Amino acid sequence: MKPARFDYIRAETLAEAHAALAAHGGEARVLAGGQTLLPMLSMRLARPGVLVDIMRLHEIARYGIERDVIRVGAGVRQAQLQKMFELDKVQPLLAKALPWVGHAQTRARGTVCGSIAHADPSAELPLVLVALGGEVELSSARHRRKVAGEEFFTGPLSTARADDELVEAVTFPSRRPGYGYAFREFARRHGDFAIVACAAVARTDGARLAIGGVGDRPVAREFAQADRTSLTEALDAFSWELDARDDAHASAAYRRALVRQIGHAVIMEAEQCRV
Amino acid sequence: MPRLSADRQHSVRFELNGREVEAQAEPRMLLSDFLRHVLAMTGTHVGCEHGVCGACTVEIDGMAARACLTLAVQVEGARVRTVEALAPGPGRLSILQEAFRRHHGLQCGFCTPGILMSLDIFLRAHPAPSEIDIREYLSGHLCRCTGYAPIVAAALDAAEKLREADIIG
Ligand code: FES
Ligand code: FES
């Protein structure tokens, strides 16, 4: 399996990356860590004419806390964010989910923004973004704009990004006082794509549960503070709304059962983590 | 900004096992093929070519990485280490390699170069790992022969020997 031919552009500034994307648009793909793009190229699921490598851009190779969010630039690798000082205090959900993203050997190169830009329906980072209500910052030679995570993902492997736009950064809201966070996923083997992944954010007045791996994109729902029976009913309704499908990995019924069980477990766990 | 055209060979310079090297590659050439076919460093193995098996794992700038998920042109200016760098000299094995031999951590040896590179990097950063740490870390590798138990045993043994060597050294 070898990629088809493409031109390779090594952008050295953000303006150059924008110019390359403006010139080549839909023919071009952004190359960051390459951990999802390279398999697609090798399997020829993608055949771009041009790759724009953005990993030499110093201006987007940073992450940091800005007011009440963690802003992660497009050049930041997953392993780097995982090592952020006190990440488990700054945003526990990221600290809990990152070890589930691929394997240590792919997190060393894969980027946070790359995983979000790729929008695999079972990937963990898009799920976390939706669960937290984070945003995607898009920029191009024309303009820059912010899109809420929930609106960014439009279907399997498809997003609101225009051909000339770069996912320049994503922002994850930091931990809020009185909130609790939990993450769990079910896969056949650690590091495999999730059959079902669940992220929960618990507040005093209820919880937000986001599910990945079932629908064609991560989906979140609010659950009011409720007793056990009504929560079970609400989760059951949610599991049916997700439009689960049978595939080689699991049946739709099995996925719905996992949503009910793991969804319940993460809400409870997030509730217990509230500080 | 440098633009490397698809159908031409381009020179790539990087540090390989402590030596500066320069060789030619098309943009689409994978680092795994670049190492094996162009640089004749066949220690790095290639199994799946899409990031699943871990056989091609090498070290890039201090981190474990899949050579099959990296383009040759991406390592321009980088520091790369491959399994050929592990042995301290001809006819000698590293502490980790010795442990693999003692514990029968390999049978056909196909997965071994990748696992050795991963563990070499891991043990540097985690001198006292638990069995669970090692198993979780090894989830990035497939071995179809050993059943993993001897690999885990070798890794734990090597960690202990490396700690001893550290105290003496
Ligand atoms: S050959 Fe690279 S991971 Fe299998
Ligand atoms: S020793 Fe044969 S695959 Fe691991």
Side-chain angles (χ1 to χ4, degrees), chain A residues 1-12 16-17 19-20 24 31-36 38-39 41-44 49-51 53 55-56 77 79-80 83 99 102-109 189-191, chain B residues 1-8 12 26-30 32-33 37 46 48-52 57 60-61 63-66 68-78 114 118 136-142 148:
Chain A
M1 287 195 299
K2 313 290 175 195
R5 290 203 163 89
F6 49 77
D7 281 6
Y8 169 87
I9 294 179
R10 187 177 291 135
E12 276 154 0
E16 283 183 2
H24 302 287
L31 173 63
Q35 301 303 287
T36 323
L38 264 286
L41 295 179
S42 285
M43 292 190 268
R44 305 210 176 181
V50 179
L51 287 193
D53 187 344
M55 292 309 276
R56 315 259 161 167
R77 303 193 194 266
Q80 267 174 284
K83 283 192 210 126
H103 303 282
Q105 296 86 348
T106 59
R107 289 195 295 274
R109 293 195 62 79
R189 188 177 64 128
H190 184 94
Chain B
M1 85 190 113
R3 176 177 185 142
L4 315 185
S5 68
D7 41 14
R8 287 244 280 289
V12 182
E26 271 181 38
R28 66 166 168 162
M29 179 170 271
L30 303 173
S32 40
D33 290 336
H37 302 315
V46 172
C48 66
E49 284 195 316
H50 64 282
V52 176
T57 304
I60 304 177
D61 291 334
M63 308 274 266
R66 310 277 207 229
C68 76
L69 296 188
T70 309
L71 298 172
V73 292
Q74 280 178 289
V75 299
E76 173 74 35
S118 261
E136 185 171 321
Y137 190 72
L138 286 175
S139 73
H141 292 273
L142 293 177
Y148 303 99

Side-chain angles (χ1 to χ4, degrees), chain B residues 105-112 115 142-148 151:
Chain B
L106 63 157
Q107 287 177 30
C108 78
F110 200 88
C111 66
T112 315
I115 293 183
L142 293 177
C143 174
R144 298 288 82 159
C145 301
T146 63
Y148 303 99
I151 297 178

Side-chain angles (χ1 to χ4, degrees), chain B residues 3-165:
Chain B
R3 176 177 185 142
L4 315 185
S5 68
D7 41 14
R8 287 244 280 289
Q9 304 271 332
H10 306 272
S11 136
V12 182
R13 299 175 60 154
F14 66 108
E15 188 189 307
L16 178 59
N17 298 334
R19 284 188 17 236
E20 275 301 320
V21 294
E22 178 168 1
Q24 304 287 311
E26 271 181 38
R28 66 166 168 162
M29 179 170 271
L30 303 173
L31 177 61
S32 40
D33 290 336
F34 192 50
L35 290 169
R36 291 177 56 84
H37 302 315
V38 180
L39 294 161
M41 301 289 271
T42 52
T44 300
H45 289 174
V46 172
C48 66
E49 284 195 316
H50 64 282
V52 176
C53 73
C56 67
T57 304
V58 297
E59 180 178 327
I60 304 177
D61 291 334
M63 308 274 266
R66 310 277 207 229
C68 76
L69 296 188
T70 309
L71 298 172
V73 292
Q74 280 178 289
V75 299
E76 173 74 35
R79 244 178 331 109
V80 178
R81 268 175 93 236
T82 62
V83 69
E84 284 91 346
L86 291 185
R92 291 171 59 206
L93 295 176
S94 72
I95 289 176
L96 178 64
Q97 288 170 311
E98 279 288 357
F100 265 65
R101 172 192 272 179
R102 253 193 325 277
H103 291 273
H104 304 283
L106 63 157
Q107 287 177 30
C108 78
F110 200 88
C111 66
T112 315
I115 293 183
L116 286 175
M117 288 315 290
S118 261
L119 285 174
D120 187 70
I121 296 159
F122 181 71
L123 294 179
R124 249 180 5 232
H126 306 88
S130 69
E131 178 174 340
I132 294 171
D133 296 337
I134 289 173
R135 283 188 181 274
E136 185 171 321
Y137 190 72
L138 286 175
S139 73
H141 292 273
L142 293 177
C143 174
R144 298 288 82 159
C145 301
T146 63
Y148 303 99
I151 297 178
V152 175
L156 285 167
D157 189 9
E160 196 182 318
K161 294 265 179 331
L162 284 163
R163 286 199 300 273
E164 286 167 14

